Amino acid sequence: MRLVGQYFAVSYYIEPARQVPMQSVMYRVRKPPCYRAVQSTTGGSRQNARGTAMAAVIGIAVLIGLNGCATLVRNKTDQTVVSARQLSLRGVPAAQQGQLREAEVFFSRASEMCPLDERIRFHYAETLWELGSRRQAVAHMEEAVRLSGGNAELVVRLGDMYLAEGDLLRAALQAESAIQSNRRLAAAWALRGDVLRQMGRDEDALAGYHRALSLQAHYPRVQLATAEIYSRQKRHARALATLRTLADGYPSGETPQQVLVLQGGALKELGRYDAAIETLVAAAKQGPPSTEVLVQLAETQWLAGDTANARLTLQTAIARSSREPGTEPLMAQVLTLQRKLAGDMRL
């Protein structure tokens, strides 16, 4: 969940429903947040002084009665808000702990009780998205955006959903809307970069990514996307510099495996085989290495002239590929490397 999710989750704990300031309560009395207020009007005629006096007495009585009814309505509305927020508060940790079905029930009930709360809508949409109910998730996120008055962070999240569904046009519109609303929101520029990248406009995508990074220096998703574009463009030195900056943003020994693998690949392309092997070995040590990591390591070892270790690594990769789904695209690379090792030839 993005920063916007963290913001909404925290906002519930900062301002829990049990501790609403009196001024806020009075505002809700004037304009209930979950239901539209119904206004009543009364009228009468004045024929004489006695009639006027009688009308005044009746008016006072009516006002007293209405005030009592309004108090009951306000109390009921406030209790509804409290109950809805309490349900949402139970849903947030449930979703964070992966108890998505339970969280869905909490957010669904909260949304029914308080349909005009954009935070509840947001959490409900995110939960539905994680459960795979994408159409419903998008509908609730659209409503969250509307209720928030176009909150830029929610607009970006809606754009992310459109992009994941392959709707590039609507995703692009959300990116531009968020940028116009808040030009210092890094996520909005990142969304623009994502859309342009999907369109195949790598240079324009890089411009969006660079703007995002100028606003948020440590932005792993954007830095990885930038490095991948550089690699595709054969600009391996730029890719390596981007990845090193990304790695520097993590505590020592906690650099993600994917970052190390990409670093190793960039070093290999630059002909720095020893450094590439060291980086790929470090990646392999961070949990069970994937077939892809092992194949890349074996190829780098072969390029460095270490044929013996290359054979051992490739054998491990082949054994692992039989237990790991989705390795078919690597088989051509494995076969090519096997032939190279058999003849011990250099390209």
Side-chain angles (χ1 to χ4, degrees), residues 154-285:
L154 290 179
V155 169
V156 169
R157 184 63 186 115
L158 178 58
D160 286 337
M161 290 181 171
Y162 286 147
L163 185 61
E165 291 292 278
D167 194 338
L168 297 182
L169 177 58
R170 296 177 80 179
L173 290 174
Q174 301 309 305
E176 297 311 310
S177 175
I179 288 171
Q180 292 302 316
S181 177
N182 183 0
R183 298 187 68 83
R184 296 196 59 79
L185 181 61
W189 293 98
L191 176 58
R192 173 188 274 185
D194 291 339
V195 172
L196 292 168
R197 184 185 179 199
Q198 289 282 343
M199 292 178 175
R201 296 166 54 183
D202 281 352
E203 284 300 324
D204 292 330
L206 283 174
Y209 289 147
H210 287 154
R211 185 63 179 269
L213 292 172
S214 72
L215 296 167
Q216 182 178 321
H218 186 65
Y219 205 152
R221 182 182 69 78
V222 172
Q223 287 164 293
L224 284 172
T226 302
E228 288 170 358
I229 291 176
Y230 283 141
S231 295
R232 223 172 20 249
Q233 295 177 334
K234 308 297 182 184
R235 300 162 69 181
H236 302 297
R238 293 296 301 271
L240 181 60
T242 302
L243 292 165
R244 281 181 169 168
T245 300
L246 172 57
D248 289 342
Y250 292 100
S252 179
E254 296 183 19
T255 304
Q257 188 180 68
Q258 183 184 10
V259 176
L260 293 173
V261 171
L262 290 174
Q263 273 188 289
L267 288 165
K268 182 188 74 173
E269 295 296 334
L270 291 169
R272 299 169 58 181
Y273 303 131
D274 290 340
I277 291 170
E278 182 180 350
T279 304
L280 290 170
V281 168
K285 289 180 178 178

Side-chain angles (χ1 to χ4, degrees), residues 49-66:
R50 183 177 179 181
T52 301
M54 181 61 70
V57 171
I58 294 173
I60 292 172
V62 169
L63 286 174
I64 293 173
L66 288 176

Side-chain angles (χ1 to χ4, degrees), residues 126-153:
E126 289 287 12
T127 302
L128 289 169
W129 186 265
E130 291 297 322
L131 287 168
S133 302
R134 292 193 164 190
R135 183 174 298 179
Q136 286 181 277
V138 168
H140 283 284
M141 191 62 73
E142 288 173 340
E143 185 64 8
V145 168
R146 188 188 69 80
L147 292 171
S148 72
N151 176 281
E153 292 177 339

